[in-house]
Amino acid sequence: MTKPRRNVKFAHRSHLSTSSSNEFGSRRDSVSSEDAGPSSPKSLIEKTNTDTPPQEAPLSDYEKKKQTFITRTIWTLAMIALFFGAMAAGHLYIIAIVTVVQIMTFKEVIAIANVPSRDRKLRFTKSLNWYFLATTMYFLYGESVIYYFKHIVVVDAFLIPFATHHRFISFTLYIIGFVFFVVSLEKGHYKFQFTQFAWTHMALYLVVVQAHFIMNNIFEGMIWFFLPVSLVITNDIFAYICGITFGRTQLIKISPKKTVEGFVGAWVMTVIFGLVLTNYLMRYKYFICPVKDLGANAYTGLQCTPNPVFLKQEYTLPFFLQPIFGSSINIQPMQFHILAMATFASLIAPFGGFFASGLKRTFKIKDFGDLVPGHGGMTDRMDCQFIMGFFANMYYSSFIATHNPASVGTILEAAVNSLSPQEQVEVLERLGRYLVGQNILSEKVHCPKLGMVIINAC
């Protein structure tokens, strides 16, 4: 067994140790010389300023709140200006804004699901989300266009096949996506893929389907879009003002800053605001008339026979009010309907916001996004608007809309789909004779190619 050799020196190590000792020795000497030498307060200050970079003092809570308030105010005014500008430009621009809003909201709702990195490598997951969105929008937008612009669609040779088979085409598109989803399932990712499938359909219902009813509100008349939106915004503002002014009692645990006092105070103020705004909007046909021409705007205006809900009617008052207001009053029925809409906007629509708050707490996020500085994401601003727009359309259809079974669109649809070409020509010819006999039309032009008489308007 060999004995370990002692006192063996390695040149390279001794060299390194020597250089290291010299280096550390020089450092010690320099430190010792600095410690030993006299130092003035001025030199210490200069040394501190040289060694330590200047740091900005952290903002106080007041400064942070001030900056947030300024940012929110600027962007709020910008959004208000954009909204009123689009509303004056015409219904088509409002529809474009609603479309963008629902797409951005859908994107934010889909994105909040925490996707593991291994699942991000799955093919077609995001593509299928957007495919189902496009399919749903095609179906819902097509339903609205066919219903409100039937008089244009059913007489267009290119559009009539799409209008006639719209629902079957939409169903086929959905089935293609469904089959593609099943084919794309991969072992080990089933749970994630089915979760994404269910999450996508939930987002489609909560966002796109409800936005479809907001779109229908626009077609029924600008007031049915503008009024619900304004009520929700007003309620949100006064809930904040009343809450910070005299709020004491917590309303709901999922949103701890909401108070009962703010909730009730906002209800009262929203009702008052709704009565005043409704009385103003009813004076303009641009707001109360259904849209028949998407090219109309605030300058060209709209013409229609007003819905009876906007015309004054006489109501007999209860006996205990007659000494004060008289036996009866003349008032538009809309003033009573606005009470129901303002109450829903104050007492029910905020639960859409509470639902969104619970969703954010589930995924441990503060906001759905950062699209709007100072306001968070688009979903943070629209969480109450979707349910309010849905309610407004249901309420309008149930209690306000006047259903006329005979319209130009329905008659044209019946003639095109139910009558043969010869019968359609006969209807046209006899209708022309009737109009000439009533002196509504007067000029006749014979068309040999069709073997019929075409009636031209004077």
Side-chain angles (χ1 to χ4, degrees):
M1 181 176 181
T2 58
K3 297 181 180 180
R5 292 182 292 176
R6 298 179 181 177
N7 300 326
V8 177
K9 298 181 179 180
F10 297 93
H12 61 282
R13 290 190 177 181
S14 62
H15 175 71
L16 291 174
S17 62
T18 304
S19 61
S20 299
S21 61
N22 292 337
E23 182 180 352
F24 288 121
S26 61
R27 289 182 182 176
R28 284 196 296 270
D29 293 340
S30 62
V31 172
S32 301
S33 63
E34 289 178 2
D35 293 341
S39 59
S40 63
K42 182 177 180 181
S43 63
L44 289 175
I45 293 174
E46 291 177 353
K47 186 178 185 314
T48 304
N49 293 338
T50 304
D51 296 342
T52 306
Q55 296 181 354
E56 296 182 359
L59 295 176
S60 62
D61 292 338
Y62 171 77
E63 291 294 332
K64 290 180 180 178
K65 291 181 179 179
K66 181 180 177 181
Q67 289 186 359
T68 303
F69 176 78
I70 294 174
T71 303
R72 286 175 65 94
T73 302
I74 292 174
W75 279 94
T76 299
L77 295 176
M79 289 188 293
I80 290 175
L82 175 64
F83 177 76
F84 278 98
M87 192 165 59
H91 299 72
L92 191 61
Y93 293 89
I94 291 293
I95 291 172
I97 289 179
V98 174
T99 302
V100 172
V101 166
Q102 69 174 325
I103 292 174
M104 298 305 299
T105 304
F106 177 83
K107 178 183 177 182
E108 291 176 352
V109 173
I110 290 297
I112 66 172
N114 186 20
V115 183
S117 58
R118 66 186 182 91
D119 291 328
R120 291 179 182 176
K121 298 178 182 178
L122 289 172
R123 295 182 301 169
F124 311 122
T125 300
K126 293 183 178 180
S127 301
L128 279 173
N129 291 339
W130 290 105
Y131 177 82
F132 283 123
L133 172 66
T135 301
T136 306
M137 291 180 65
Y138 172 79
F139 170 68
L140 295 176
Y141 276 60
E143 288 287 306
S144 297
V145 170
I146 293 171
Y147 180 80
Y148 290 103
F149 300 97
K150 192 177 296 182
H151 58 287
I152 298 175
V153 174
V154 297
V155 297
D156 189 282
F158 175 76
L159 294 178
I160 192 169
F162 293 95
T164 306
H165 308 293
H166 171 70
R167 294 184 179 180
F168 182 79
I169 294 172
S170 302
F171 175 76
T172 303
L173 292 174
Y174 177 81
I175 289 299
I176 291 173
F178 177 79
V179 172
F180 199 79
F181 165 76
V182 175
V183 173
S184 66
L185 291 173
E186 295 185 14
K187 187 177 181 180
H189 300 290
Y190 294 152
K191 183 176 181 181
F192 167 75
Q193 289 180 296
F194 277 103
T195 300
Q196 286 292 306
F197 184 80
W199 185 263
T200 300
H201 282 69
M202 185 200 75
L204 290 174
Y205 171 72
L206 293 178
V207 177
V208 183
V209 173
Q210 293 190 110
H212 162 70
F213 292 101
I214 296 177
M215 204 80 68
N216 290 349
N217 292 342
I218 299 173
F219 291 131
E220 294 291 353
M222 190 69 79
I223 190 172
W224 305 115
F225 167 76
F226 179 65
L227 196 57
V229 170
S230 302
L231 292 175
V232 169
I233 295 174
T234 302
N235 182 261
D236 190 37
I237 293 173
F238 280 104
Y240 174 76
I241 295 175
C242 296
I244 63 173
T245 303
F246 44 82
R248 296 291 183 273
T249 310
Q250 187 182 59
L251 176 65
I252 188 170
K253 291 183 179 180
I254 201 170
S255 188
K257 294 183 179 181
K258 304 295 183 181
T259 63
V260 175
E261 294 81 3
F263 197 66
V264 176
W267 177 25
V268 175
M269 298 305 298
T270 303
V271 169
I272 296 173
F273 173 82
L275 291 171
V276 174
L277 181 63
T278 302
N279 185 57
Y280 178 77
L281 295 179
M282 287 189 299
R283 304 174 186 176
Y284 301 97
K285 288 190 175 182
Y286 180 69
F287 284 96
I288 66 176
C289 287
V291 58
K292 299 298 182 182
D293 179 15
L294 288 177
N297 54 52
Y299 305 102
T300 60
L302 291 171
Q303 295 298 324
C304 68
T305 301
N307 189 302
V309 79
F310 299 118
L311 303 177
K312 285 187 177 183
Q313 299 181 20
E314 185 176 357
Y315 293 92
T316 302
L317 294 176
F319 70 92
F320 57 87
L321 293 178
Q322 292 182 6
I324 303 174
F325 300 102
S327 60
S328 63
I329 59 171
N330 290 322
I331 192 173
Q332 298 94 336
M334 185 61 193
Q335 297 287 6
F336 298 110
H337 292 297
I338 192 60
L339 298 178
M341 298 183 70
T343 298
F344 186 92
S346 303
L347 303 184
I348 306 300
F351 282 85
F354 300 152
F355 177 86
S357 297
L359 202 60
K360 288 187 287 187
R361 290 180 182 274
T362 301
F363 290 94
K364 299 179 180 179
I365 57 175
K366 182 181 179 182
D367 296 314
F368 282 94
D370 54 358
L371 180 66
V372 186
H375 291 272
M378 188 63 70
T379 312
D380 297 287
R381 296 298 94 204
M382 298 295 126
D383 46 12
C384 301
Q385 295 288 0
F386 287 117
I387 190 173
M388 183 65 199
F390 193 0
F391 167 79
N393 186 265
M394 295 296 103
Y395 188 90
Y396 171 82
S397 301
S398 302
F399 302 107
I400 299 176
T402 55
H403 300 285
N404 185 7
S407 64
V408 175
T410 55
I411 293 174
L412 282 174
E413 183 183 26
V416 170
N417 295 331
S418 303
L419 301 180
S420 65
Q422 292 78 11
E423 292 173 328
Q424 294 171 6
V425 171
E426 183 179 355
V427 169
L428 177 61
E429 186 176 7
R430 294 192 179 186
L431 180 62
R433 290 176 183 175
Y434 167 78
L435 295 175
V436 171
Q438 297 295 319
N439 292 324
I440 299 174
L441 300 179
S442 61
E443 184 179 352
K444 295 183 179 181
V445 178
H446 182 71
C447 182
K449 192 173 184 179
L450 295 178
M452 59 175 287
V453 175
I454 300 177
I455 310 298
N456 289 342
C458 295

